[in-house]
Amino acid sequence: MNINQLSLLDNLQQNQHDDLPSYSLDLDSLKNDQDIESNPELLIIFLFKKAVKETNPNDEILNDFAEYILPNLLTKLAGITAKGGQFTEDRKAEGKNTERSRHDQSLISHILNGLFPTYRIISVLLSNKIETNPIQRHFNILVIKLFLASFPLHDFEKDPDFQKYLSETVAEFKDRNWRKDTPKKQEAPNLSRDYVKKRIQDLGIDLFLGENWENYIDDIVWLSHNAGDGSDADRGLESRGLKPTLNGRIRQHLHHLLRLSDLFVSIIKHPKDIEDNKFLEILSNLSNNQLQFTYHALSDNRGVITNIINNALITSHGENYQPLLYFPDGVIYVSKIDALNVNINNITDIVITKIKQLCATQIINRQTGFSRGGKGLKFAEYYWLFFEPIDLMKVGIKVAERIFPDTKKACSEKRSESLQNFQAKGELLANINVNFDNDIRIDRLAEFCDIICRGIWNKWLEKAENYQKQLPKKQRQEIPLLELIYPLAEYLGLESEISAIKEIQTLKKTGGVPLDWYYLAGKYYQTEKGKGQDLAQTIKLMEGIINHVQTLINPIVKQFKIEDGWNDLKIYINDIISLPTGRIVEANSESFLTEINRYQKAKITGRQRENICAMSSSSYTISEQMESGNLFAPQVYSNRQILFNAQAAKRQICSIWATEIMLRQILMNNTNSIGADFENRKYRYLYLYPAYFFTPETSLFLRKTYDGLEKTRFDAELRKHFGVAELRYDF
């Protein structure tokens, strides 16, 4: 079983050149009658059954539950509320206290989210890792099946079918206003035996229990009436004639399990809620004080980064802690009381390693975050998190190959014309021959060399210089200045053009276009060496350039350091994690004071103005967001920006949100679309977010649902399949 949270990062091998996966539903095949099963099954049932069986592969009892009961729960209880809904609205209108039922919850969710975790606890109690306990002593297959049969019926009075049954069988209820006067279990004739028997057959519980199922109707009646305590229980059924076959001790243990199931779905909203004494009391009684509930919780939820942190914490807990409930902000576990303490001292390293594992291959293969603009190639800042300068330059080869295929229209002729215009204005010496062909090979070589020189190497030098400034003055060293364009001109056999390059570099108002490299590339392809070079030969040339650059920069790179870029994330991870023992880092007011100070100074228009994250308040490092690392079109989100301020055209973003958007761009975007191009896509994200929590079974079900949707093209074929004339659809 995959113990990780529901993760959208598991299946990353998608078509990298399309907005959607490359295959679609074969709807035409459905038209052939022989391709249709004789007993077709709803997709939700098919996927849910599969998820339950894969999560519990060797569990015949739960697999039988999935086969006989689960399909009927999903179809016959659809649309029925267990909490919230019309009942709560009516009670609220009457001025009654609705605190217990104010959160909406469907009856299906109520049943499955209560049943699955409790059944997992039963499995733990029956395992040989636990010493003797009441479940081991008194439970057999039949008793376990009676638990699974009873919990789906414990709220049968909320089923509209029960109202219909009472109206048809009890004359005085025929014209009753059910919304105002809701039904009660005790109002069913014959101690509700007849109705329970009817629902047992409706939900397939009879097939689940076997041929002698009618012998246990009274047991199921007792259990379904006693899933709770106090007013939610009816302990007087036997005195009124009910004759259960199970002895009182076994029924009491089943009552504890049913109550535990009901508490899971009634109380638990966040991981910390498991500290309620009711859970401790029940688990202690069932396990003879051998088991405990524990949890990890996160105080912040960003999205993909939160998913990775949650999964890293699950890994850190190890096999002695079994995940029970998955929340967006944490996980609840069950473990032995004497389980080893959880060591999360290296949790930041685990998270960062996982991010690198998830992203590095994707970046190399797809070069996400690399794009071409009017000023040349550019890449997202997050590339520095994954690559040393030379490795990043190697990615540049793939970028040049992808962005400048032989079929692409070249711009080199325009660059030649720009240089000629500078000559006409007298800003460039007239004796420099700036005429070269409109050749895509020139674009490719010029843009590649510019990105490794200006975009990568010069940026690394800037980062190294900033790092030196953080050191005490006595420890600072002067970084050797190395202009790569001159030794590379020599490598290309164009040392005679260096003087011309220097002249071109003095030009102003070039718009940031690398005219120096376009000039060199144009000259190279006029030489005997460059004439007739194809794409494969150009790639070999680029590889040679990088090897030569490596010999030049290695001594400098080895001597000087730059910030690794992960420091803020490490602080963030430690700041948001809590365990039952408390926060792993003691809370302080410094972070809040930094946030409020920035917020106040962000409104100032003078020198004292401070940048503030456009996504949310933050005490972490703020930087200008590059377009190549932005999934949003310009001006789409302008929160916390001064109105009518030209400086606010580019958004500022904190390092944590920059990491989150990086992960979405790399892991959830099947194309290299950014900004407006990304906004214009028909399909972007699909978030599956639990209203309460996921269990391992419901998590896998949604994983399968997500995969199915991801593999489906919502195109004309799907519309034709469901559609009829005049755009009327019959689903």
Side-chain angles (χ1 to χ4, degrees), residues 21 79 84 96 115 141 143 164 166-167 181 188 204 213 276 316 398 464 485 577 618 625 703 706 711-712:
K96 295 182 178 179
L115 185 147
I141 292 176
V143 176
K164 180 181 177 184
L166 290 178
S167 297
D181 190 7
W213 66 272
D276 191 301
S316 297
K398 291 180 175 289
I485 189 170
I577 297 175
S618 174
Q625 188 174 25
R703 168 79 265 177
Y706 184 93
K711 295 172 184 176
T712 301

PDB file of all heavy atoms in Angstrom, residues 21 79 84 96 115 141 143 164 166-167 181 188 204 213 276 316 398 464 485 577 618 625 703 706 711-712:
ATOM      1  N   PRO A  21      -2.814  15.187 -22.167  1.00  0.00           N
ATOM      2  CA  PRO A  21      -2.222  13.910 -22.521  1.00  0.00           C
ATOM      3  C   PRO A  21      -2.613  13.494 -23.931  1.00  0.00           C
ATOM      4  O   PRO A  21      -3.633  13.917 -24.462  1.00  0.00           O
ATOM      5  CB  PRO A  21      -2.817  12.961 -21.466  1.00  0.00           C
ATOM      6  CG  PRO A  21      -3.105  13.835 -20.302  1.00  0.00           C
ATOM      7  CD  PRO A  21      -3.536  15.150 -20.897  1.00  0.00           C
ATOM      8  N   GLY A  79     -26.742  11.708  -2.442  1.00  0.00           N
ATOM      9  CA  GLY A  79     -27.540  12.916  -2.235  1.00  0.00           C
ATOM     10  C   GLY A  79     -28.114  13.064  -0.846  1.00  0.00           C
ATOM     11  O   GLY A  79     -28.737  14.085  -0.540  1.00  0.00           O
ATOM     12  N   GLY A  84     -25.447  18.948   8.309  1.00  0.00           N
ATOM     13  CA  GLY A  84     -25.654  20.131   7.489  1.00  0.00           C
ATOM     14  C   GLY A  84     -26.910  20.007   6.652  1.00  0.00           C
ATOM     15  O   GLY A  84     -27.883  19.340   7.016  1.00  0.00           O
ATOM     16  N   LYS A  96     -32.371  27.113  17.085  1.00  0.00           N
ATOM     17  CA  LYS A  96     -31.754  26.039  17.853  1.00  0.00           C
ATOM     18  C   LYS A  96     -30.245  26.004  17.611  1.00  0.00           C
ATOM     19  O   LYS A  96     -29.735  26.519  16.624  1.00  0.00           O
ATOM     20  CB  LYS A  96     -32.377  24.694  17.472  1.00  0.00           C
ATOM     21  CG  LYS A  96     -33.845  24.579  17.853  1.00  0.00           C
ATOM     22  CD  LYS A  96     -34.394  23.205  17.495  1.00  0.00           C
ATOM     23  CE  LYS A  96     -35.859  23.089  17.922  1.00  0.00           C
ATOM     24  NZ  LYS A  96     -36.440  21.771  17.559  1.00  0.00           N
ATOM     25  N   LEU A 115     -16.006   4.204   8.734  1.00  0.00           N
ATOM     26  CA  LEU A 115     -15.828   2.755   8.716  1.00  0.00           C
ATOM     27  C   LEU A 115     -14.389   2.334   8.410  1.00  0.00           C
ATOM     28  O   LEU A 115     -13.820   1.478   9.095  1.00  0.00           O
ATOM     29  CB  LEU A 115     -16.798   2.159   7.685  1.00  0.00           C
ATOM     30  CG  LEU A 115     -16.896   0.646   7.558  1.00  0.00           C
ATOM     31  CD1 LEU A 115     -18.321   0.263   7.189  1.00  0.00           C
ATOM     32  CD2 LEU A 115     -15.941   0.101   6.520  1.00  0.00           C
ATOM     33  N   ILE A 141     -14.705 -13.832  12.224  1.00  0.00           N
ATOM     34  CA  ILE A 141     -15.112 -13.243  10.944  1.00  0.00           C
ATOM     35  C   ILE A 141     -16.532 -12.712  11.014  1.00  0.00           C
ATOM     36  O   ILE A 141     -16.835 -11.614  10.521  1.00  0.00           O
ATOM     37  CB  ILE A 141     -14.958 -14.276   9.813  1.00  0.00           C
ATOM     38  CG1 ILE A 141     -13.478 -14.569   9.570  1.00  0.00           C
ATOM     39  CG2 ILE A 141     -15.614 -13.770   8.520  1.00  0.00           C
ATOM     40  CD1 ILE A 141     -13.231 -15.640   8.530  1.00  0.00           C
ATOM     41  N   VAL A 143     -18.292 -11.616  13.611  1.00  0.00           N
ATOM     42  CA  VAL A 143     -18.411 -10.406  14.428  1.00  0.00           C
ATOM     43  C   VAL A 143     -17.882  -9.196  13.660  1.00  0.00           C
ATOM     44  O   VAL A 143     -18.480  -8.108  13.690  1.00  0.00           O
ATOM     45  CB  VAL A 143     -17.661 -10.585  15.762  1.00  0.00           C
ATOM     46  CG1 VAL A 143     -17.692  -9.285  16.571  1.00  0.00           C
ATOM     47  CG2 VAL A 143     -18.275 -11.714  16.572  1.00  0.00           C
ATOM     48  N   LYS A 164     -40.500   7.547   4.037  1.00  0.00           N
ATOM     49  CA  LYS A 164     -41.488   6.915   3.165  1.00  0.00           C
ATOM     50  C   LYS A 164     -42.038   5.646   3.809  1.00  0.00           C
ATOM     51  O   LYS A 164     -43.255   5.384   3.771  1.00  0.00           O
ATOM     52  CB  LYS A 164     -40.832   6.590   1.823  1.00  0.00           C
ATOM     53  CG  LYS A 164     -41.747   5.925   0.827  1.00  0.00           C
ATOM     54  CD  LYS A 164     -41.002   5.604  -0.473  1.00  0.00           C
ATOM     55  CE  LYS A 164     -41.904   4.866  -1.449  1.00  0.00           C
ATOM     56  NZ  LYS A 164     -41.172   4.475  -2.678  1.00  0.00           N
ATOM     57  N   LEU A 166     -42.239   4.890   7.057  1.00  0.00           N
ATOM     58  CA  LEU A 166     -43.134   5.210   8.159  1.00  0.00           C
ATOM     59  C   LEU A 166     -44.485   5.717   7.665  1.00  0.00           C
ATOM     60  O   LEU A 166     -45.544   5.374   8.220  1.00  0.00           O
ATOM     61  CB  LEU A 166     -42.491   6.264   9.070  1.00  0.00           C
ATOM     62  CG  LEU A 166     -41.282   5.820   9.905  1.00  0.00           C
ATOM     63  CD1 LEU A 166     -40.745   6.989  10.718  1.00  0.00           C
ATOM     64  CD2 LEU A 166     -41.650   4.658  10.829  1.00  0.00           C
ATOM     65  N   SER A 167     -44.454   6.523   6.602  1.00  0.00           N
ATOM     66  CA  SER A 167     -45.710   7.060   6.060  1.00  0.00           C
ATOM     67  C   SER A 167     -46.600   5.943   5.532  1.00  0.00           C
ATOM     68  O   SER A 167     -47.836   6.027   5.616  1.00  0.00           O
ATOM     69  CB  SER A 167     -45.405   8.053   4.933  1.00  0.00           C
ATOM     70  OG  SER A 167     -44.685   9.155   5.422  1.00  0.00           O
ATOM     71  N   ASP A 181     -40.773  17.915  11.790  1.00  0.00           N
ATOM     72  CA  ASP A 181     -40.779  16.868  12.818  1.00  0.00           C
ATOM     73  C   ASP A 181     -40.035  15.658  12.253  1.00  0.00           C
ATOM     74  O   ASP A 181     -40.628  14.769  11.642  1.00  0.00           O
ATOM     75  CB  ASP A 181     -42.224  16.511  13.176  1.00  0.00           C
ATOM     76  CG  ASP A 181     -42.302  15.607  14.394  1.00  0.00           C
ATOM     77  OD1 ASP A 181     -41.253  15.372  15.019  1.00  0.00           O
ATOM     78  OD2 ASP A 181     -43.403  15.126  14.705  1.00  0.00           O
ATOM     79  N   ALA A 188     -40.179   3.364  14.516  1.00  0.00           N
ATOM     80  CA  ALA A 188     -40.414   2.262  13.581  1.00  0.00           C
ATOM     81  C   ALA A 188     -41.110   1.107  14.301  1.00  0.00           C
ATOM     82  O   ALA A 188     -40.745   0.758  15.429  1.00  0.00           O
ATOM     83  CB  ALA A 188     -39.099   1.790  12.988  1.00  0.00           C
ATOM     84  N   GLY A 204     -27.469  -4.890   0.113  1.00  0.00           N
ATOM     85  CA  GLY A 204     -26.642  -6.060  -0.179  1.00  0.00           C
ATOM     86  C   GLY A 204     -25.961  -6.640   1.043  1.00  0.00           C
ATOM     87  O   GLY A 204     -25.048  -7.470   0.918  1.00  0.00           O
ATOM     88  N   TRP A 213     -28.094 -14.866   7.458  1.00  0.00           N
ATOM     89  CA  TRP A 213     -28.087 -13.458   7.868  1.00  0.00           C
ATOM     90  C   TRP A 213     -29.287 -13.071   8.720  1.00  0.00           C
ATOM     91  O   TRP A 213     -29.183 -12.195   9.597  1.00  0.00           O
ATOM     92  CB  TRP A 213     -28.010 -12.563   6.633  1.00  0.00           C
ATOM     93  CG  TRP A 213     -29.225 -12.627   5.733  1.00  0.00           C
ATOM     94  CD1 TRP A 213     -29.430 -13.496   4.712  1.00  0.00           C
ATOM     95  CD2 TRP A 213     -30.371 -11.786   5.789  1.00  0.00           C
ATOM     96  NE1 TRP A 213     -30.634 -13.268   4.105  1.00  0.00           N
ATOM     97  CE2 TRP A 213     -31.236 -12.218   4.749  1.00  0.00           C
ATOM     98  CE3 TRP A 213     -30.771 -10.725   6.583  1.00  0.00           C
ATOM     99  CZ2 TRP A 213     -32.471 -11.613   4.505  1.00  0.00           C
ATOM    100  CZ3 TRP A 213     -31.986 -10.126   6.348  1.00  0.00           C
ATOM    101  CH2 TRP A 213     -32.834 -10.567   5.318  1.00  0.00           C
ATOM    102  N   ASP A 276      -8.673  14.615  21.625  1.00  0.00           N
ATOM    103  CA  ASP A 276      -9.881  14.544  22.451  1.00  0.00           C
ATOM    104  C   ASP A 276      -9.843  13.260  23.293  1.00  0.00           C
ATOM    105  O   ASP A 276      -9.563  12.168  22.799  1.00  0.00           O
ATOM    106  CB  ASP A 276     -11.122  14.544  21.551  1.00  0.00           C
ATOM    107  CG  ASP A 276     -12.403  14.735  22.339  1.00  0.00           C
ATOM    108  OD1 ASP A 276     -12.683  13.919  23.230  1.00  0.00           O
ATOM    109  OD2 ASP A 276     -13.140  15.696  22.045  1.00  0.00           O
ATOM    110  N   SER A 316       9.240   9.990   7.650  1.00  0.00           N
ATOM    111  CA  SER A 316      10.025  10.134   8.882  1.00  0.00           C
ATOM    112  C   SER A 316       9.405   9.359  10.043  1.00  0.00           C
ATOM    113  O   SER A 316      10.122   8.914  10.943  1.00  0.00           O
ATOM    114  CB  SER A 316      10.144  11.617   9.259  1.00  0.00           C
ATOM    115  OG  SER A 316      10.845  12.337   8.272  1.00  0.00           O
ATOM    116  N   LYS A 398      19.893  21.758 -24.841  1.00  0.00           N
ATOM    117  CA  LYS A 398      18.562  21.238 -25.137  1.00  0.00           C
ATOM    118  C   LYS A 398      17.578  22.367 -25.443  1.00  0.00           C
ATOM    119  O   LYS A 398      16.700  22.234 -26.294  1.00  0.00           O
ATOM    120  CB  LYS A 398      18.053  20.391 -23.964  1.00  0.00           C
ATOM    121  CG  LYS A 398      18.791  19.079 -23.759  1.00  0.00           C
ATOM    122  CD  LYS A 398      18.223  18.309 -22.579  1.00  0.00           C
ATOM    123  CE  LYS A 398      18.860  16.945 -22.438  1.00  0.00           C
ATOM    124  NZ  LYS A 398      18.451  16.014 -23.514  1.00  0.00           N
ATOM    125  N   ALA A 464      27.774  35.358  -6.540  1.00  0.00           N
ATOM    126  CA  ALA A 464      28.984  35.166  -5.743  1.00  0.00           C
ATOM    127  C   ALA A 464      29.399  36.470  -5.071  1.00  0.00           C
ATOM    128  O   ALA A 464      29.846  36.480  -3.911  1.00  0.00           O
ATOM    129  CB  ALA A 464      30.110  34.632  -6.631  1.00  0.00           C
ATOM    130  N   ILE A 485      33.023  35.979 -23.486  1.00  0.00           N
ATOM    131  CA  ILE A 485      32.842  36.163 -24.927  1.00  0.00           C
ATOM    132  C   ILE A 485      34.173  36.221 -25.679  1.00  0.00           C
ATOM    133  O   ILE A 485      34.290  35.721 -26.800  1.00  0.00           O
ATOM    134  CB  ILE A 485      31.998  37.425 -25.222  1.00  0.00           C
ATOM    135  CG1 ILE A 485      31.628  37.476 -26.712  1.00  0.00           C
ATOM    136  CG2 ILE A 485      32.702  38.679 -24.746  1.00  0.00           C
ATOM    137  CD1 ILE A 485      30.612  38.535 -27.049  1.00  0.00           C
ATOM    138  N   ILE A 577       5.584  22.990  11.364  1.00  0.00           N
ATOM    139  CA  ILE A 577       5.337  21.606  11.808  1.00  0.00           C
ATOM    140  C   ILE A 577       5.047  21.562  13.301  1.00  0.00           C
ATOM    141  O   ILE A 577       5.751  22.166  14.108  1.00  0.00           O
ATOM    142  CB  ILE A 577       6.542  20.699  11.487  1.00  0.00           C
ATOM    143  CG1 ILE A 577       6.762  20.605   9.978  1.00  0.00           C
ATOM    144  CG2 ILE A 577       6.340  19.304  12.075  1.00  0.00           C
ATOM    145  CD1 ILE A 577       8.001  19.838   9.585  1.00  0.00           C
ATOM    146  N   SER A 618       4.204  37.840   4.089  1.00  0.00           N
ATOM    147  CA  SER A 618       5.315  36.927   4.291  1.00  0.00           C
ATOM    148  C   SER A 618       6.463  37.636   4.984  1.00  0.00           C
ATOM    149  O   SER A 618       6.699  38.822   4.776  1.00  0.00           O
ATOM    150  CB  SER A 618       5.790  36.367   2.951  1.00  0.00           C
ATOM    151  OG  SER A 618       6.951  35.576   3.120  1.00  0.00           O
ATOM    152  N   GLN A 625       9.538  38.870  -9.384  1.00  0.00           N
ATOM    153  CA  GLN A 625       9.234  37.623 -10.085  1.00  0.00           C
ATOM    154  C   GLN A 625       9.479  37.782 -11.578  1.00  0.00           C
ATOM    155  O   GLN A 625       8.920  38.656 -12.230  1.00  0.00           O
ATOM    156  CB  GLN A 625       7.785  37.201  -9.845  1.00  0.00           C
ATOM    157  CG  GLN A 625       7.480  35.814 -10.399  1.00  0.00           C
ATOM    158  CD  GLN A 625       6.082  35.361 -10.030  1.00  0.00           C
ATOM    159  OE1 GLN A 625       5.216  36.184  -9.793  1.00  0.00           O
ATOM    160  NE2 GLN A 625       5.861  34.069  -9.990  1.00  0.00           N
ATOM    161  N   ARG A 703      -7.094   9.158  -6.375  1.00  0.00           N
ATOM    162  CA  ARG A 703      -5.906   9.071  -7.231  1.00  0.00           C
ATOM    163  C   ARG A 703      -6.285   8.475  -8.584  1.00  0.00           C
ATOM    164  O   ARG A 703      -5.885   8.959  -9.640  1.00  0.00           O
ATOM    165  CB  ARG A 703      -4.859   8.214  -6.531  1.00  0.00           C
ATOM    166  CG  ARG A 703      -3.675   7.766  -7.369  1.00  0.00           C
ATOM    167  CD  ARG A 703      -2.666   8.882  -7.526  1.00  0.00           C
ATOM    168  NE  ARG A 703      -2.857   9.619  -8.748  1.00  0.00           N
ATOM    169  CZ  ARG A 703      -2.147  10.678  -9.097  1.00  0.00           C
ATOM    170  NH1 ARG A 703      -1.237  11.141  -8.289  1.00  0.00           N
ATOM    171  NH2 ARG A 703      -2.366  11.292 -10.226  1.00  0.00           N
ATOM    172  N   TYR A 706      -8.448  10.941 -10.565  1.00  0.00           N
ATOM    173  CA  TYR A 706      -7.614  12.002 -11.132  1.00  0.00           C
ATOM    174  C   TYR A 706      -6.854  11.493 -12.357  1.00  0.00           C
ATOM    175  O   TYR A 706      -6.797  12.155 -13.393  1.00  0.00           O
ATOM    176  CB  TYR A 706      -6.633  12.511 -10.079  1.00  0.00           C
ATOM    177  CG  TYR A 706      -5.794  13.678 -10.541  1.00  0.00           C
ATOM    178  CD1 TYR A 706      -6.210  14.982 -10.303  1.00  0.00           C
ATOM    179  CD2 TYR A 706      -4.593  13.486 -11.215  1.00  0.00           C
ATOM    180  CE1 TYR A 706      -5.447  16.068 -10.721  1.00  0.00           C
ATOM    181  CE2 TYR A 706      -3.831  14.556 -11.644  1.00  0.00           C
ATOM    182  CZ  TYR A 706      -4.255  15.840 -11.395  1.00  0.00           C
ATOM    183  OH  TYR A 706      -3.506  16.902 -11.823  1.00  0.00           O
ATOM    184  N   LYS A 711      -6.141  11.460 -18.239  1.00  0.00           N
ATOM    185  CA  LYS A 711      -5.924  10.716 -19.475  1.00  0.00           C
ATOM    186  C   LYS A 711      -7.057  10.889 -20.480  1.00  0.00           C
ATOM    187  O   LYS A 711      -7.054  10.272 -21.539  1.00  0.00           O
ATOM    188  CB  LYS A 711      -5.766   9.226 -19.143  1.00  0.00           C
ATOM    189  CG  LYS A 711      -4.532   8.917 -18.324  1.00  0.00           C
ATOM    190  CD  LYS A 711      -4.535   7.467 -17.858  1.00  0.00           C
ATOM    191  CE  LYS A 711      -3.340   7.192 -16.966  1.00  0.00           C
ATOM    192  NZ  LYS A 711      -3.359   5.811 -16.421  1.00  0.00           N
ATOM    193  N   THR A 712      -8.033  11.708 -20.122  1.00  0.00           N
ATOM    194  CA  THR A 712      -9.209  11.874 -20.981  1.00  0.00           C
ATOM    195  C   THR A 712      -9.149  13.216 -21.699  1.00  0.00           C
ATOM    196  O   THR A 712      -8.902  14.243 -21.077  1.00  0.00           O
ATOM    197  CB  THR A 712     -10.502  11.808 -20.139  1.00  0.00           C
ATOM    198  OG1 THR A 712     -10.554  10.549 -19.471  1.00  0.00           O
ATOM    199  CG2 THR A 712     -11.727  11.951 -21.030  1.00  0.00           C
TER     200      THR A 712
END
